[in-house]
Amino acid sequence: MAVDLHSFYGIIEVIMKKKKISIKDIAKELGVSITTVSFIINGKAKEKRISDAMIKMVEDYVAKIGYRPNHLAQSLRSGKSKVIVFMVEDISNSFFSTIARLIEEKAFDNGYKIIYCSTENEAKKAIELIETFKSRNVDGFIITPTLGLESQIKNLLSENFGVILFDRWIPSLDCSHVIVENEKSCFEGTKHLIDNGCKRIAFITLESDQTQMKDRLLGYQRAMGSFGLDPLVFEEPFHTSSEEFMGDQIMDFLKIHEDVDAVFFATNYLAFEGLHAFRKLDKRIPDDLQVLSFDDHFFFGLYQPSISAIAQPIELIAETLMEGILNQLNSKIPNQSTRVELPNQLIQRKSTLKKHMD
Amino acid sequence: MAVDLHSFYGIIEVIMKKKKISIKDIAKELGVSITTVSFIINGKAKEKRISDAMIKMVEDYVAKIGYRPNHLAQSLRSGKSKVIVFMVEDISNSFFSTIARLIEEKAFDNGYKIIYCSTENEAKKAIELIETFKSRNVDGFIITPTLGLESQIKNLLSENFGVILFDRWIPSLDCSHVIVENEKSCFEGTKHLIDNGCKRIAFITLESDQTQMKDRLLGYQRAMGSFGLDPLVFEEPFHTSSEEFMGDQIMDFLKIHEDVDAVFFATNYLAFEGLHAFRKLDKRIPDDLQVLSFDDHFFFGLYQPSISAIAQPIELIAETLMEGILNQLNSKIPNQSTRVELPNQLIQRKSTLKKHMD
DNA sequence: TTGAAAGCGTTACCAG
DNA sequence: CTGGTAACGCTTTCAA
């Protein structure tokens, strides 16, 4: 029985399950040129006026052997990868992971893949990640910038990557960003507490230079000022997430300021800590203390009493981000930086309540 | 003034900020061969007995211009990428995202990068993702398998990728996996409720064929059986996460079974829905109803009353996974499939309580 | 001790 | 209409 060498190797390869079929193998097997196969696979057959017979032959064979192009090689050659990086502070935060999911969907519809990663707010890690992805030819970056990322992002911009910041931004940089109306919403949130009859309203935030945090604080301060009330701010230096000490810092703060009748949290995990603290202090909500938090969370609806919150427009953020980055990637002209600021929504629950006059 | 063409292009490139320096440019600039540069960059200088002077010259220049190797090209050539894919059902689930973070740390220490992705439990999406990553030469996969992924995973195995399953596994497949003692813990959880004096214990789970869900149910059933109690199981068909209808199915179930005195949830988000339902039904915990949930969550400690739960050993899972996959990737011998089953911990809080005899 | 050159799997230019 | 072939940036064998 005659077995030619070609088939023989074929058999070996099948047994080893090692060899991946390449465009070259297809060309050889079919006796046509690599170029032709490439054109057909990439849907340029019509454009290149390749005969229908040829197209069918190649397509059938490709389907039969289940050929998959090697993306690595494609990227290396074309400089594009159809990959967008979604780099946030912490992907386990539900705000970010929800946006990630929405973005992924939109990306997929446009032929893009999303790769997520978390910076943990460390510039070093973020820089490392950016470099890695750059050297893998990703097309664009969606980033919640940490401090110290300015020059990296400037580089990305000048190297013509798609870049769009969100949640916060870098004022010194002319880079597109999508944020929410932090200041305005916090003004309104504070006003809501004041309208309810609260006089001694504490604002609990993180010690942070990030724009969104500063804007939130600003909104609170402006509201207090315009109603003639003294601001009372606590900036938590570290976010100790150990359950054991959760809320201890806030508790100490509240012990010193016994007269506080409302607390406004700048972000939801601070509120979780706060709720722990209130419990240890036996504070009743909303009778002893009214509670409002920035950044809604499904727990706020489940907690008893339910907690009022300022909800960010998550779907809208995701849409705007994808629209923005796809625009950048599809247009030939250099990046025009755009700024979008989206409105939030105050969701009133049981933790904030108009006080009875007495 | 004489400007040679070489410098001229250099200037143009700087202005355009487009050109990336390659190993070739370095070699040309320094007047040495590409090979030499490559050896030095990859730390093989000593091994190849390259002169110290040469090493210093190249290293200094590399540092000066901030050269970064192109990972794409490296992967294409070497077939390796130092990337491990972490593919779970839903990265926004805190169980998975916490593991992701722990894994990432370990991976980083070993020179690997982690890419996360979510399957949303759709085989189609999972297959798509696996194919994409395969064609990007990733080295290994850590997967929570969905149904219908059997043949894909078999392929991965035979193509010598590192593969390790977790959370659940595929019995028909000889593939390494890391899981927890689902059955045993649910037996013990159920026994805990029985010991507390509960007689009519409902088990609320998802309609699912996944191994971990089936094992949890089994543990409950075995416990009920061995204490002579009738099992009462509700399998929620769909996980409607819309807040509006949250818990409605569970509420209907409880309305029919008024005599239930304890509920054991097979996973934490079912418990969240359940808590919603209990509230609408005005059930008091633990007096009317004792509550226990599989898979602990920080919210269980915060809720009032706090909810007892069975905690999975998250750190241990992450460690075991990384150890397993690194072993696979570093060893030359074909994958030996290993199975690890880790113990859980019952965390007793206020929702489960020994009933007073009366 | 160093260098030339062959590939990895594609794409795309140019020829015929 | 189809085919050669030079890149893309790197690793690695072999030769000098």
Side-chain angles (χ1 to χ4, degrees):
Chain A
M1 189 176 126
V3 173
D4 71 30
L5 219 54
H6 184 228
S7 316
F8 177 70
Y9 282 132
I11 290 163
I12 291 291
E13 282 155 5
V14 168
I15 292 171
M16 305 288 295
K17 304 235 180 141
K18 277 226 160 177
K19 183 66 190 316
K20 304 219 184 76
I21 348 101
S22 79
I23 212 171
K24 196 186 335 189
D25 301 322
I26 298 176
K28 200 184 298 175
E29 184 65 32
L30 258 35
V32 299
S33 87
I34 293 177
T35 314
T36 309
V37 177
S38 174
F39 281 153
I40 293 173
I41 286 170
N42 292 313
K44 295 190 183 161
K46 288 287 166 229
E47 182 188 325
K48 300 290 176 181
R49 299 151 48 105
I50 291 176
S51 70
D52 288 351
M54 172 110 289
I55 294 177
K56 181 155 172 34
M57 177 174 78
V58 173
E59 281 181 345
D60 286 355
Y61 185 71
V62 161
K64 183 181 132 215
I65 61 173
Y67 164 78
R68 297 277 177 163
N70 182 319
H71 287 160
L72 228 42
Q74 285 181 325
S75 296
L76 179 61
R77 181 61 239 239
S78 65
K80 299 276 159 241
S81 62
K82 289 286 183 182
V83 169
I84 296 169
V85 173
F86 182 72
M87 194 169 88
V88 296
E89 178 178 338
D90 174 12
I91 193 69
S92 65
N93 178 318
S94 75
F95 172 64
F96 293 126
S97 56
T98 306
I99 291 183
R101 200 134 49 131
L102 294 169
I103 280 183
E104 199 176 17
E105 237 169 79
K106 293 223 164 29
F108 186 81
D109 295 341
N110 286 278
Y112 282 90
K113 299 257 169 292
I114 297 285
I115 289 183
Y116 331 104
C117 53
S118 307
T119 64
E120 329 269 331
N121 252 333
E122 290 172 32
K124 191 162 159 278
K125 193 171 172 204
I127 292 173
E128 171 84 29
L129 285 165
I130 290 177
E131 286 300 334
T132 308
F133 288 122
K134 271 167 74 167
S135 75
R136 292 206 148 82
N137 278 11
V138 304
D139 297 341
F141 290 82
I142 299 173
I143 302 179
T144 63
T146 68
L147 243 56
L149 230 53
E150 192 177 331
S151 73
Q152 292 293 317
I153 292 175
K154 201 186 288 183
N155 283 346
L156 287 178
L157 249 23
S158 68
E159 289 167 44
N160 266 309
F161 287 92
V163 188
I164 188 161
L165 310 179
F166 84 105
D167 192 48
R168 51 250 199 182
W169 56 299
I170 301 183
S172 61
L173 222 55
D174 189 31
C175 179
S176 295
H177 54 274
V178 174
I179 53 172
V180 296
E181 294 175 346
N182 287 296
E183 209 217 310
K184 186 177 171 214
S185 299
C186 284
F187 181 94
E188 284 166 4
T190 308
K191 182 168 178 303
H192 168 63
L193 293 170
I194 296 170
D195 287 347
N196 282 351
C198 300
K199 300 269 180 244
R200 191 70 176 136
I201 302 168
F203 188 78
I204 297 187
T205 182
L206 293 169
E207 201 177 60
S208 163
D209 279 328
Q210 293 169 357
T211 55
Q212 84 283 18
M213 289 318 214
K214 291 204 291 193
D215 289 347
R216 289 175 197 173
L217 178 56
L218 232 54
Y220 159 81
Q221 287 170 328
R222 195 161 56 83
M224 294 298 275
S226 56
F227 287 92
L229 295 173
D230 287 333
L232 176 61
V233 175
F234 176 60
E235 300 193 342
E236 190 167 309
F238 300 107
H239 178 229
T240 50
S241 61
S242 143
E243 189 159 345
E244 195 180 345
F245 302 110
M246 213 168 167
D248 280 3
Q249 303 192 57
I250 293 171
M251 194 163 67
D252 293 344
F253 170 79
L254 287 176
K255 273 188 197 152
I256 298 169
H257 302 280
E258 282 262 303
D259 56 337
V260 164
D261 60 1
V263 180
F264 187 169
F265 293 99
T267 187
N268 58 24
Y269 51 89
L270 285 174
F272 298 143
E273 296 188 11
L275 293 176
H276 255 125
F278 301 157
R279 210 158 66 190
K280 288 186 194 159
L281 293 170
D282 251 331
K283 295 276 187 189
R284 287 166 311 152
I285 303 169
D287 304 319
D288 299 338
L289 214 53
Q290 301 212 10
V291 177
L292 175 63
S293 174
F294 200 93
D295 201 5
D296 198 21
H297 195 287
F298 87 91
F299 288 172
F300 288 152
L302 192 53
Y303 195 78
Q304 280 181 296
S306 55
I307 306 293
S308 300
I310 292 168
Q312 301 191 55
I314 297 197
E315 291 83 4
L316 198 54
I317 293 174
E319 271 168 39
T320 316
L321 282 173
M322 273 320 284
E323 209 171 290
I325 199 131
L326 289 175
N327 259 342
Q328 289 185 24
L329 296 179
N330 294 332
S331 83
K332 298 278 142 305
I333 50 169
N335 290 342
Q336 281 296 88
S337 107
T338 61
R339 171 194 175 88
V340 179
E341 200 170 347
L342 301 168
N344 302 300
Q345 195 194 350
L346 175 62
I347 298 180
Q348 231 171 300
R349 297 204 181 90
K350 302 226 171 97
S351 68
T352 59
L353 187 76
K354 193 147 216 127
K355 287 188 183 175
H356 296 291
M357 303 298 170
D358 38 19
Chain B
M1 189 177 120
V3 174
D4 70 30
L5 219 55
H6 184 229
S7 316
F8 178 69
Y9 282 131
I11 291 163
I12 292 289
E13 281 154 5
V14 168
I15 292 171
M16 305 287 294
K17 304 233 181 149
K18 276 226 161 179
K19 182 70 189 319
K20 304 216 184 78
I21 348 101
S22 77
I23 210 169
K24 195 182 352 190
D25 301 321
I26 298 176
K28 201 184 296 172
E29 185 64 31
L30 258 35
V32 298
S33 86
I34 292 177
T35 315
T36 307
V37 177
S38 173
F39 282 153
I40 294 172
I41 287 171
N42 293 311
K44 296 190 182 162
K46 288 288 166 225
E47 183 188 326
K48 300 289 175 183
R49 297 151 48 107
I50 291 175
S51 69
D52 288 351
M54 173 110 288
I55 294 177
K56 181 155 174 30
M57 177 175 79
V58 173
E59 281 182 345
D60 286 354
Y61 186 70
V62 160
K64 184 182 133 214
I65 62 174
Y67 164 78
R68 296 278 177 164
N70 181 317
H71 288 159
L72 271 181
Q74 285 181 324
S75 297
L76 181 61
R77 180 61 235 242
S78 65
K80 299 276 159 239
S81 62
K82 289 286 183 180
V83 168
I84 295 170
V85 173
F86 183 71
M87 194 169 89
V88 297
E89 178 177 337
D90 174 12
I91 194 70
S92 65
N93 178 318
S94 74
F95 172 65
F96 293 127
S97 56
T98 306
I99 292 182
R101 199 134 49 131
L102 294 170
I103 280 183
E104 200 177 16
E105 235 169 78
K106 292 221 165 29
F108 186 81
D109 295 342
N110 287 277
Y112 281 89
K113 299 256 170 295
I114 297 287
I115 290 183
Y116 332 103
C117 54
S118 306
T119 64
E120 329 269 328
N121 252 333
E122 289 172 33
K124 190 160 158 282
K125 191 166 174 210
I127 292 173
E128 171 85 30
L129 285 165
I130 291 178
E131 287 300 335
T132 308
F133 288 123
K134 271 166 74 168
S135 75
R136 290 206 150 83
N137 279 12
V138 303
D139 297 340
F141 290 83
I142 298 174
I143 303 179
T144 62
T146 68
L147 245 55
L149 229 54
E150 191 177 331
S151 73
Q152 292 292 318
I153 291 176
K154 201 186 290 184
N155 284 346
L156 287 178
L157 250 20
S158 67
E159 289 168 43
N160 267 308
F161 287 93
V163 187
I164 188 160
L165 311 179
F166 84 106
D167 193 48
R168 51 252 200 181
W169 55 299
I170 302 184
S172 62
L173 222 54
D174 189 30
C175 180
S176 295
H177 53 274
V178 174
I179 55 172
V180 295
E181 295 176 343
N182 287 294
E183 210 218 308
K184 185 176 172 215
S185 300
C186 284
F187 180 94
E188 285 166 2
T190 308
K191 182 167 177 305
H192 169 63
L193 293 170
I194 294 170
D195 288 347
N196 283 351
C198 301
K199 302 266 182 247
R200 192 71 177 136
I201 303 168
F203 189 77
I204 296 187
T205 183
L206 293 169
E207 204 176 58
S208 163
D209 279 328
Q210 293 168 358
T211 55
Q212 83 283 20
M213 289 318 214
K214 291 205 292 193
D215 289 347
R216 290 174 196 174
L217 178 56
L218 231 54
Y220 160 80
Q221 286 170 328
R222 195 161 58 81
M224 294 298 274
S226 55
F227 287 91
L229 295 173
D230 287 333
L232 175 62
V233 175
F234 176 61
E235 299 193 343
E236 191 167 308
F238 300 107
H239 178 229
T240 51
S241 60
S242 142
E243 189 158 346
E244 194 180 346
F245 301 111
M246 212 166 166
D248 280 4
Q249 302 192 57
I250 293 170
M251 195 163 66
D252 293 343
F253 170 80
L254 287 175
K255 273 188 195 150
I256 298 169
H257 302 279
E258 282 262 304
D259 55 338
V260 164
D261 60 1
V263 180
F264 188 169
F265 293 99
T267 189
N268 58 24
Y269 49 90
L270 285 173
F272 298 143
E273 297 189 11
L275 293 176
H276 254 126
F278 301 156
R279 211 158 66 189
K280 288 186 195 160
L281 292 171
D282 251 332
K283 295 276 188 189
R284 287 167 310 152
I285 302 170
D287 305 320
D288 299 338
L289 214 53
Q290 302 212 10
V291 178
L292 175 63
S293 175
F294 200 94
D295 204 4
D296 196 23
H297 194 289
F298 88 90
F299 190 61
F300 287 152
L302 192 53
Y303 196 75
Q304 282 182 296
S306 56
I307 306 294
S308 301
I310 293 168
Q312 302 191 53
I314 296 196
E315 292 84 2
L316 199 53
I317 293 174
E319 271 169 37
T320 317
L321 283 173
M322 274 318 285
E323 208 171 291
I325 199 131
L326 288 176
N327 259 342
Q328 289 184 25
L329 295 179
N330 294 332
S331 81
K332 296 280 144 294
I333 49 169
N335 289 342
Q336 282 294 88
S337 106
T338 61
R339 171 195 175 85
V340 178
E341 200 170 348
L342 301 167
N344 301 300
Q345 196 193 351
L346 175 62
I347 298 180
Q348 232 170 298
R349 297 201 182 90
K350 303 230 171 94
S351 69
T352 59
L353 188 76
K354 194 149 214 122
K355 287 189 183 175
H356 296 291
M357 302 300 170
D358 38 20

